[in-house]
Amino acid sequence: MKGESILELKDIKMTEKQWNSSTKIWTEKRGRILTFTSVSIMIMIAISILYFVASKGFSTFTVNKASIVDFFTGIEWKPGSLNELGKPIVGALPLIFGSFAVTLLAAIICSPLAVGAAIFMTEISPKFGKKVLQPVIELLVGIPSVVYGFVGLSVVVPFLREHLGGSGFGIAAGTIVLTVMILPTITSLSMDAIESVPMQIREASLALGATRWQTIYRVILKTSLPGLLTAIVFGMARAFGEALAVQMVIGNSTVIPTSFVEPASTLTSILTMGMGYTVMGKAENNALWSLALMLLLMSLVFIIIIRILGRRRVY
Amino acid sequence: MNAKLADRMATVIFYVIAGVIVALLAGLFGYILVNGVGNISWKFITSPPQSFQAGGGIGPQLFNSFYLLVLTMIISIPLSLGAGIYMSEYAKKNVFTDILRTVIEVLSSLPSIVVGLFGFLFFVIYMGWGFSILTGALVLTIFNLPLMVSVVETSLKGVSNAQREAGLALGVSKWETIKKILLPAAIPGIVTGIILASGRVFGEAAALIYTAGMSTPILDFSNWNPLSPTSPLNPMRPAETLAVHIWKINSEGLMPDVKEVSSGTSALLIILILLFNLAARWIGKLIYKRMTSS
């Protein structure tokens, strides 16, 4: 009896040894190496994007000696020419103003519509919402931004020109195009936020005798508020970074407009148009990279806001 | 106000909002299709564009769009599979994983024009590749990765833990469990995600104008040697895609029929993306059925 069990133990040891020396360990290692390499590549990409854009973007201030204060407060964007102090004229305020104006206006118009649609789809008519509206929203997400821009150019701009006067190009056209573009993003994210509100809370509210609207307004909107705000910030981040659709309808004049239908410009629109016409290393070109850096930093700001909101999420 | 009345009014308002959105979408699709489909003909789809006269087509652009998509997917599928598997199976709860999540978040929130300009700076200028399909594909990969990685990760996480334990209990190594058991089980989700990502890549333009370029050299469609400069398969040639074409001709096009060409191209683009969407649903369901019934 004793001898047998020893034999068994030995056998197990043998197989373990064999297993160790076999290719299995190597296969396992290879898997780890392969997947780890992929993740490392992603990290490297992110670091090099940050590094390259930042090093180019700062050179306006380090190499060309433009003043940072002027960049944020100056209203004249002529990076090719020098001012009386011999510094390039890089007043990006009109572009920053344009970017924030279209983004904020689009978010203000879009949010009630998107949240309303999300509530309709989850609370009022889930059947119609899931069957018709949801696929429709998903399709809207897939429409390329240039198509939005083209429709804006051939419908929105002429419409504004006829009814509001001016050239039609401007903040108003940009806002309308962006509103339609971010509507699906905000709607689908709001839906996720509202759907994650537990059923019991709804039932409790209804059991207390509240009407459906009271439940929606006082309970569901309140509990899902951080999620809804996250959805809106996501939409704003998309609007802020959108380049081509806005460039096509905003008119691209680097002044602060006095009305909604006067040509204006955004960071992205000037960046898109200018990059091909400037020479690498020259002040005009560096100034454009500063705009790119500003865009990049803004997208980081949006992430931070989303993180903070995410921490407040209860459900 | 009476609570019941308020409830009724709110309901009406929600119906109005839903109606507005449906109308908006119907209007948008209707406008593009009604104006565009009439301009689509076999000649339009196959012939090269004209610079100064009417009657140009979008043949090379259509080819470029698909070729760029294929190249992008060849680069991004292995990468996103690797990263997705890592995130779902290997990532422990530690600082490194937190950094990784942040990196993915940052990459996914970068404006596509910024990613495109990085590609321009790095691949086009520093590496000296010039405007080329390969550059475009690499940039689209960067732009595409976060979405694809999260698709792979969620599909893998959706596979039940029992399957993981079963694999390990059989004495199979973890990597083999992942390869032979988990990945096949996650395939329907991954395929659906990849097709949806393809649709997005297909319509992307901002990242491409300074990487794949805004022009197409004269192509010889009988020359399939990838090293020849006139070959459509040459990955080092500039390539304008459908979406870029729409943008370019609307910004600086000189042909008299800009509107016809762009509405035709828009309609074609939307139809193709619609097909991508339907294909994603259909193929996903098909694979799921095949795999669960057998």
Side-chain angles (χ1 to χ4, degrees):
Chain A
M1 283 299 269
K2 218 180 173 186
E4 260 181 50
S5 68
I6 287 172
L7 201 81
E8 260 179 36
L9 262 176
K10 220 169 140 196
D11 268 1
I12 290 169
K13 263 198 177 149
M14 280 287 283
T15 45
E16 209 169 0
K17 230 182 188 174
Q18 276 172 344
W19 195 84
N20 278 343
S21 59
S22 75
T23 50
K24 276 208 169 159
I25 286 277
W26 175 233
T27 321
E28 178 57 27
K29 272 218 176 108
R30 195 174 55 195
R32 264 175 201 279
I33 293 170
L34 273 177
T35 55
F36 191 76
T37 314
S38 321
V39 218
S40 316
I41 290 176
M42 285 186 74
I43 294 182
M44 262 155 51
I45 292 172
I47 291 174
S48 41
I49 292 180
L50 295 181
Y51 171 75
F52 274 98
V53 175
S55 65
K56 271 276 177 190
F58 279 122
S59 60
T60 311
F61 310 110
T62 56
V63 178
N64 306 107
K65 307 283 182 218
S67 111
I68 294 191
V69 178
D70 280 357
F71 182 79
F72 285 105
T73 56
I75 54 166
E76 212 178 345
W77 178 257
K78 277 184 196 150
S81 34
L82 304 174
N83 64 8
E84 61 273 17
L85 296 170
K87 295 173 177 172
I89 304 170
V90 286
L93 187 63
L95 324 180
I96 297 172
F97 172 82
S99 278
F100 276 100
V102 287
T103 304
L104 289 175
L105 286 173
I108 290 169
I109 301 173
C110 189
S111 304
L113 277 177
V115 174
I119 291 174
F120 180 83
M121 285 156 75
T122 47
E123 308 294 324
I124 310 269
S125 176
K127 226 176 169 184
F128 174 79
K130 284 259 148 50
K131 274 252 154 73
V132 181
L133 263 182
Q134 201 172 9
V136 157
I137 300 280
E138 276 167 20
L139 270 179
L140 272 174
V141 179
I143 296 183
S145 64
V146 280
V147 173
Y148 282 107
F150 168 65
V151 174
L153 196 62
S154 46
V155 180
V156 177
V157 171
F159 178 86
L160 291 176
R161 189 186 301 141
E162 267 169 42
H163 294 273
L164 291 178
S167 65
F169 291 98
I171 303 278
T175 303
I176 293 172
V177 168
L178 281 180
T179 304
V180 181
M181 280 189 74
I182 62 175
L183 186 66
T185 313
I186 304 187
T187 307
S188 55
L189 289 172
S190 306
M191 249 186 83
D192 295 342
I194 295 171
E195 271 180 343
S196 66
V197 174
M199 212 57 206
Q200 295 98 296
I201 294 189
R202 284 186 192 104
E203 283 159 1
S205 163
L206 292 172
L208 284 172
T211 62
R212 187 163 64 177
W213 169 239
Q214 283 167 334
T215 308
I216 291 171
Y217 183 68
R218 302 245 169 92
V219 179
I220 293 172
L221 279 185
K222 217 167 226 175
T223 41
S224 60
L225 188 65
L228 296 178
L229 288 176
T230 309
I232 293 167
V233 176
F234 260 110
M236 285 172 72
R238 195 176 167 206
F240 200 87
E242 174 48 44
L244 302 188
V246 176
Q247 188 270 329
M248 284 162 94
V249 299
I250 201 155
N252 303 302
S253 140
T254 54
V255 292
I256 296 183
T258 49
S259 85
F260 288 130
V261 284
E262 239 175 73
S265 58
T266 61
L267 295 167
T268 50
S269 75
I270 294 303
L271 190 55
T272 321
M273 301 222 317
M275 199 50 96
Y277 300 101
T278 53
V279 181
M280 267 285 161
K282 287 273 164 62
E284 297 110 298
N285 188 266
N286 289 342
L288 291 175
W289 284 103
S290 303
L291 300 185
L293 179 62
M294 167 99 198
L295 275 177
L296 195 153
L297 294 178
M298 270 312 290
S299 70
L300 296 183
V301 169
F302 283 121
I303 291 184
I304 293 169
I305 298 176
I306 288 166
R307 282 253 160 130
I308 294 171
L309 287 171
R311 240 177 269 143
R312 279 184 54 206
R313 282 185 88 153
V314 195
Y315 298 105
Chain B
M1 204 194 314
N2 184 320
K4 269 197 178 150
L5 189 68
D7 183 58
R8 216 160 281 158
M9 275 173 65
T11 309
V12 170
I13 290 172
F14 283 123
Y15 268 95
V16 169
I17 289 176
V20 166
I21 289 178
V22 170
L24 200 67
L25 180 93
L28 197 65
F29 271 104
Y31 178 82
I32 296 164
L33 293 178
V34 167
N35 281 293
V37 170
N39 296 315
I40 301 176
S41 63
W42 182 245
K43 188 176 163 279
F44 180 69
I45 292 178
T46 53
S47 62
Q50 296 284 344
S51 306
F52 304 108
Q53 340 165 354
I58 47 162
Q61 282 77 16
L62 186 61
F63 175 83
N64 288 342
S65 288
F66 277 106
Y67 188 35
L68 192 62
L69 178 65
V70 170
L71 266 187
T72 305
M73 286 302 156
I74 289 175
I75 304 169
S76 56
I77 288 174
L79 259 180
S80 57
L81 272 181
I85 291 172
Y86 184 88
M87 296 306 290
S88 137
E89 307 299 321
Y90 289 110
K92 295 189 189 81
K93 260 203 161 168
N94 57 21
V95 184
F96 181 72
T97 309
D98 283 344
I99 295 174
L100 210 55
R101 295 234 174 256
T102 314
V103 161
I104 294 176
E105 211 177 320
V106 169
L107 279 180
S108 72
S109 78
L110 285 181
S112 63
I113 180 85
V114 171
V115 180
L117 288 174
F118 163 74
F120 172 64
L121 188 62
F122 188 73
F123 299 115
V124 176
I125 308 278
Y126 282 125
M127 306 286 276
W129 293 353
F131 292 136
S132 64
I133 302 184
L134 185 62
T135 306
L138 287 169
V139 165
L140 285 184
T141 300
I142 299 177
F143 167 79
N144 200 13
L145 264 183
L147 177 73
M148 301 243 304
V149 170
S150 77
V151 162
V152 173
E153 192 193 342
T154 34
S155 307
L156 277 173
K157 282 214 167 128
V159 181
S160 79
N161 248 336
Q163 302 225 38
R164 269 180 202 96
E165 284 155 9
L168 294 173
L170 284 172
V172 185
S173 76
K174 192 171 180 180
W175 177 241
E176 277 176 316
T177 312
I178 293 169
K179 257 199 327 194
K180 302 264 165 67
I181 302 173
L182 301 183
L183 265 188
I187 280 285
I190 295 176
V191 170
T192 312
I194 287 174
I195 301 174
L196 285 176
S198 306
R200 219 174 69 134
V201 165
F202 203 74
E204 176 54 34
L208 287 177
I209 51 180
Y210 292 119
T211 52
M214 290 186 273
S215 62
T216 306
I218 293 163
L219 298 178
D220 175 8
F221 276 91
S222 60
N223 178 359
W224 295 102
N225 171 12
L227 297 175
S228 149
T230 57
S231 163
L233 285 186
N234 183 355
M236 298 316 286
R237 68 176 175 86
E240 182 192 33
T241 64
L242 289 178
V244 173
H245 189 62
I246 297 177
W247 180 74
K248 194 187 86 177
I249 59 176
N250 275 296
S251 310
E252 52 190 42
L254 293 171
M255 60 270 237
D257 58 345
V258 165
K259 204 155 180 187
E260 284 75 23
V261 175
S262 26
S263 57
T265 314
S266 298
L268 189 67
L269 209 50
I270 285 199
I271 292 168
L272 287 171
I273 283 166
L274 212 73
L275 289 178
F276 273 115
N277 262 287
L278 292 176
R281 278 158 203 265
W282 186 69
I283 293 174
K285 256 186 210 157
L286 195 81
I287 297 177
Y288 185 75
K289 252 190 198 161
R290 279 251 164 121
M291 295 195 38
T292 44
S293 64
S294 61

